[in-house]
Structures are given as structure tokens and as C-alpha cells.
Amino acid sequence: MKFNKFILFTTLIASAVALTACNEEKKVAPANAQATQEKKVDAQDAKAQFEQAVKITATKRALTKDAKGNATVSITYDIENTGAKAIKAIHWISAYSFEGKILYVANLPLDFADAIPVKAKAIFNETTALENIPAEFRSTVESPNSNIQAIIAPMSIEFADGSKIIANK
């Protein structure tokens, strides 16, 4: 199971990198292999710093309807500031998986009106129209018995003091 999560997480990160690369006009290759290795270490350090500063947990999934009566899926997240600075903004990607298949990916950049204080929690609801989920996975998402997992891929955090952690670009 851990291997499947690792494969899913790796696929998610690779997809995010590929999509970002598609938007860039200029690509610069690293000068040498050592520069590439140092960059990977820095990215791992940034990811570890992100995970030390905040804990993001998907806590609930519910089927709801929007104002027009369309079916939606709502995922509730607990965002806990476990670091030493107030959090002004946070960005992550959630991949929802079931039995090794990615059902849906959500890009979640959040900017808080009031920063999340140190050791405090915030609750966030991400709502998606059911029609945005591929047709072959809708019945899985609609079933309350489906054990859907949320895989969190950290992107960035901005603190109230203006400092940032960029875990992935």
C-alpha cells in the first residue's frame, strides 16, 4: 500500500512539473550533474520544512448540491499551523485516489484574510462539481463506503512576516 502511495505521489509531482514546464517559454539545463543533485536536495529540504510548518489533513467527504441543484463533492481539510510563524497563504495539490487509481486532482492555493496563528487550526472546504470528475469514477466518489485517500503534494507557504517556503514550483 505504501508503494502504491509512493507511485501515486511520484506521478502527481511529475504531472505538476510537466504542466509547469509546458507554461515556461525558456528551459535552461543545469550546468553539471552536481548542480542537479544540489537542487534535488534543496527541494527535499523545502518539502520537509513545509511539512514541519503545517499539517494538512482531509477529514471528511460529503455529497452536496450547489445553489443550482447540481451534485457536488465537498472535501473538508484541517490545516494546522505546527510551525513558529503565522501562515498568510498556503498552496498544495490534492490527488484523490482509490485502489491505486487517481480519481481527481485539485490545485488548492489559499490566501487567508487573517493569518493562521502559531499552533492554531483552520478548516477549509474544497467543493467540486461531480461532473468535473471523470465519468468512470463518479460512482466510486458517490459511494459513502469508498475509502478514498487524499494525497497531499506541498507547493508553497507564505508566512505573515513575508518569508516563504517553496516546496515545488
Side-chain angles (χ1 to χ4, degrees):
M1 186 64 174
K2 285 186 178 184
F3 181 73
N4 284 342
K5 284 186 179 182
F6 175 76
I7 295 292
L8 291 172
F9 182 75
T10 304
T11 303
L12 175 66
I13 296 300
S15 299
V17 169
L19 290 173
T20 301
C22 290
N23 289 334
E24 294 179 9
E25 293 179 13
K26 216 181 228 188
K27 296 179 183 174
V28 179
N32 60 37
Q34 184 157 355
T36 302
Q37 182 63 27
E38 289 173 5
K39 188 173 184 179
K40 287 181 183 177
V41 170
D42 290 341
Q44 288 178 344
D45 287 345
K47 181 180 182 280
Q49 290 174 4
F50 182 102
E51 292 172 347
Q52 288 174 355
V54 67
K55 181 179 178 185
I56 302 168
T57 308
T59 58
K60 184 170 64 170
R61 173 174 51 102
L63 295 174
T64 58
K65 293 198 182 276
D66 64 14
K68 295 179 182 178
N70 298 319
T72 60
V73 179
S74 180
I75 307 292
T76 302
Y77 291 91
D78 282 348
I79 304 167
E80 182 180 359
N81 183 348
T82 56
K85 300 177 184 179
I87 297 173
K88 178 183 174 196
I90 189 166
H91 181 194
W92 77 90
I93 295 174
S94 281
Y96 306 106
S97 70
F98 179 73
E99 295 181 349
K101 296 177 186 172
I102 298 291
L103 308 177
Y104 178 72
V105 176
N107 185 17
L108 302 168
L110 304 177
D111 193 5
F112 301 103
D114 296 320
I116 303 173
V118 175
K119 306 301 178 203
K121 285 186 181 180
I123 296 174
F124 169 69
N125 287 312
E126 184 256 332
T127 301
T128 300
L130 193 59
E131 68 185 24
N132 291 340
I133 296 171
E136 66 266 26
F137 300 131
R138 288 184 193 151
S139 62
T140 301
V141 172
E142 289 177 305
S143 171
N145 297 326
S146 297
N147 186 17
I148 297 174
Q149 303 294 314
I151 301 167
I152 309 296
M155 299 301 286
S156 65
I157 296 176
E158 181 179 350
F159 298 100
D161 68 1
S163 61
K164 296 179 182 179
I165 296 173
I166 308 296
N168 286 302
K169 293 183 182 181

